[in-house]
């Protein structure tokens, strides 16, 4: 066959296929310009145009800022508006209720101080976490957690009385100190229960511990001071459970009622004029908040930060759109999932939102 200088038409059409014009609202990809002296806020603003998970973080910042800025006065007065919400002053002061959820390892990490900041300054309306997310806060008031390594030998650590959480180490003596601190409080709580006949709930239990710790380094001290409810459906799943178990032999009879707490959480959700979720990690803390949102036909704003994948069908890995199908996030509302380790991105999110000066 004689050689030809003509490009095969099929190959040319496949490679050089013309594009449709981009719409006017399309945003081009562009990274930060370090030729300029960028502030932290300018750097974080640039994330919106980097792409991939940086783009998701940029959207999460926008969603959280919308949670923060919303007021009922932004909305027209409905014909059937309750009388208590007719006052312009009341409407201007009615905010979006922010429900914060996080897993226990994040309190073990340095995110504890960021969560403390949010609670101290009343940036959240309610918290849902796990048992470790409660006890590790109090334990840190009694002894330090240390940086270590993911690759330390578990058997060797066990011999030395060292407990590993990822690349962190908690000496087991800290848990012994926790028992010494908690046991007399449990005795007092049991005595009060017998005297008054009123049983404890996980949230009232945590509130009492926040009062007893009396330490400004504690997240739950500030939750107690600021009357922010902390819900922990799995209160016994950790060292707290161990201490309650031991106490049931020494001084039996303490009752913790989860029924009243589910009512309290669901009612807080139902009565919220606007509700937002910020959930770090998965499991109980993620679904308990999302399920409470179902009571009001879904959250208005939702930010998930976790590394979970959806291919195994887990709720932890599920994207926001799955929650829309259940009525846990409102269709058409503002939602985003950031696929990332929360210790990497949550400090940036807070820096660009709650910690940012409104001036």
């Amino acid at each position: 066959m004689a050689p030809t200088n003509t490009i095969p038409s099929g190959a040319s059409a496949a490679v050089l296929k013309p594009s449709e014009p981009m719409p006017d609202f399309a945003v081009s990809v562009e990274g930060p310009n370090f030729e300029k002296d960028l502030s932290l806020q300018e750097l974080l603003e640039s994330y919106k145009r980097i792409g991939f998970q940086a783009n998701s973080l940029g959207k999460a910042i926008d969603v959280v800022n919308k949670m923060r800025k919303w007021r009922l006065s932004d909305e027209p007065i409905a014909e059937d508006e309750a009388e208590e919400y007719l006052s312009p002053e009341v409407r201007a002061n009615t905010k979006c209720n922010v429900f914060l959820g996080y897993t226990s390892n994040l309190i073990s990490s340095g995110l504890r101080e960021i969560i403390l900041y949010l609670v101290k300054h009343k940036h959240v309306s309610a918290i849902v976490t796990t048992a470790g997310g409660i006890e590790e806060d109090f334990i840190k008031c009694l002894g330090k957690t240390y940086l270590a390594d993911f690759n330390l030998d578990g058997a060797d650590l066990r011999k030395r009385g060292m407990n590993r959480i990822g690349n962190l180490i908690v000496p087991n003596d800290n848990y012994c100190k926790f028992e010494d601190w908690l046991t007399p409080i449990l005795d007092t709580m049991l005595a009060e229960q017998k005297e008054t006949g009123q049983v404890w709930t996980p949230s009232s239990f945590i509130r009492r511990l926040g009062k007893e710790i009396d330490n400004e380094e504690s997240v739950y001290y500030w939750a107690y001071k600021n009357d922010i409810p902390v819900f922990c459906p799995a209160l016994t799943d950790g060292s707290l459970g161990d201490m309650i178990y031991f106490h049931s032999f020494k001084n039996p009879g303490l009752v913790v009622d989860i029924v009243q707490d589910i009512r309290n959480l669901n009612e807080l959700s139902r009565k919220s004029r606007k509700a937002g979720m910020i959930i770090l990690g998965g499991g109980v803390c993620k679904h308990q908040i999302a399920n409470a949102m179902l009571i009001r036909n879904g959250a208005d704003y939702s930010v998930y930060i976790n590394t979970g994948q959806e291919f195994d069908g887990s709720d932890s890995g599920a994207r926001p759109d799955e929650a829309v199908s259940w009525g846990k996030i409102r269709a058409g509302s503002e939602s985003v999932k950031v696929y990332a380790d929360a210790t990497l991105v949550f400090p940036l999110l807070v820096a660009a939102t709650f910690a940012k000066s409104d001036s």
Side-chain angles (χ1 to χ4, degrees):
M1 177 183 286
T4 176
N5 295 327
T6 303
I7 298 173
S9 59
S12 175
V15 174
L16 304 175
K17 182 176 177 64
S19 303
E20 292 182 356
M22 293 296 294
D24 293 339
F25 58 79
V27 178
S28 63
V29 174
E30 183 179 342
N33 181 3
F34 287 114
E35 297 294 340
K36 299 179 180 179
D37 186 14
L38 295 178
S39 68
L40 174 61
Q41 297 301 332
E42 289 170 331
L43 175 63
L44 294 174
E45 181 68 21
S46 76
Y47 273 49
K48 297 177 185 178
R49 296 180 64 179
I50 291 175
F52 307 138
Q53 293 311 300
N55 187 69
S56 296
L57 177 57
K59 183 176 180 182
I61 290 169
D62 282 347
V63 173
V64 171
N65 276 328
K66 288 176 181 177
M67 289 186 209
R68 295 178 62 225
K69 293 175 181 176
W70 182 88
R71 298 293 184 273
L72 184 57
S73 53
D74 299 337
E75 310 284 342
I77 299 176
E79 291 183 6
D80 60 347
E81 184 65 275
E83 187 173 348
E84 63 181 305
Y85 290 113
L86 293 177
S87 162
E89 183 179 358
V90 170
R91 295 179 72 81
N93 289 318
T94 300
K95 303 177 182 180
C96 174
N97 280 337
V98 178
F99 293 73
L100 175 66
Y102 47 85
T103 49
S104 65
N105 57 320
L106 301 183
I107 287 290
S108 300
S109 79
L111 288 196
R112 175 194 185 223
E113 281 64 36
I114 296 174
I115 293 167
L116 184 149
Y117 170 85
L118 298 178
V119 176
K120 179 179 179 179
H121 294 280
K122 304 180 183 179
H123 289 306
V124 298
S125 305
I127 290 171
V128 177
T129 188
T130 54
I134 303 300
E135 65 207 22
E136 292 295 329
D137 175 69
F138 297 122
I139 288 167
K140 278 186 168 183
C141 294
L142 305 172
K144 293 188 180 298
T145 297
Y146 298 91
L147 296 173
D149 192 281
F150 284 101
N151 297 312
L152 295 178
D153 180 75
D156 178 63
L157 291 173
R158 180 61 180 164
K159 290 177 184 177
R160 294 161 53 201
M162 298 291 174
N163 304 296
R164 183 170 68 84
I165 304 170
N167 61 349
L168 311 178
I169 286 290
V170 186
N172 205 60
D173 283 350
N174 291 9
Y175 295 94
C176 300
K177 293 174 184 175
F178 181 57
E179 182 183 18
D180 292 341
W181 174 75
L182 182 62
T183 299
I185 298 173
L186 295 179
D187 288 336
T188 302
M189 291 170 65
L190 175 56
E192 291 175 9
Q193 176 191 298
K194 289 178 177 178
E195 181 180 347
T196 66
Q198 185 167 348
V199 299
W200 299 88
T201 65
S203 62
S204 66
F205 187 105
I206 295 160
R207 176 180 170 83
R208 179 58 172 268
L209 298 188
K211 178 183 179 181
E212 293 289 343
I213 196 69
D214 195 23
N215 187 327
E216 292 189 0
E217 294 181 1
S218 165
V219 171
Y220 306 114
Y221 166 81
W222 286 108
Y224 157 71
K225 291 283 285 186
N226 292 331
D227 201 23
I228 295 170
V230 181
F231 299 99
C232 185
L235 185 70
T236 58
D237 184 24
S239 182
L240 270 171
D242 299 340
M243 301 308 122
I244 293 170
Y245 167 69
F246 294 150
H247 188 263
S248 73
F249 290 96
K250 298 175 182 176
N251 193 0
L254 186 69
V255 177
V256 181
D257 174 22
I258 65 170
V259 176
Q260 186 60 47
D261 258 10
I262 194 60
R263 177 167 176 164
N264 293 340
L265 176 59
N266 286 354
E267 282 293 281
L268 181 58
S269 169
R270 184 179 67 85
K271 294 177 180 178
S272 298
R273 297 304 300 262
K274 272 283 197 272
M277 303 189 288
I278 302 173
I279 303 176
L280 314 178
V284 169
C285 71
K286 179 173 184 269
H287 188 258
Q288 187 73 86
I289 294 177
N291 202 67
M293 293 297 115
L294 173 60
I295 303 301
R296 64 184 305 277
N297 198 33
D300 300 290
Y301 306 102
S302 307
V303 172
Y304 295 168
I305 301 175
N306 66 58
T307 56
Q309 304 293 321
E310 67 175 342
F311 63 82
D312 60 1
S314 66
D315 179 73
S316 295
R319 293 179 295 112
D321 190 61
E322 184 174 305
V324 173
S325 78
W326 287 88
K328 297 168 185 175
I329 294 176
R330 294 192 177 185
S333 66
E334 302 268 2
S335 64
V336 63
K337 174 172 176 173
V338 184
Y339 289 83
D341 173 359
T343 62
L344 285 172
V345 300
F346 192 56
L348 302 177
L349 176 65
V350 172
T353 54
F354 298 106
K356 182 180 179 182
S357 171
D358 291 329
S359 62

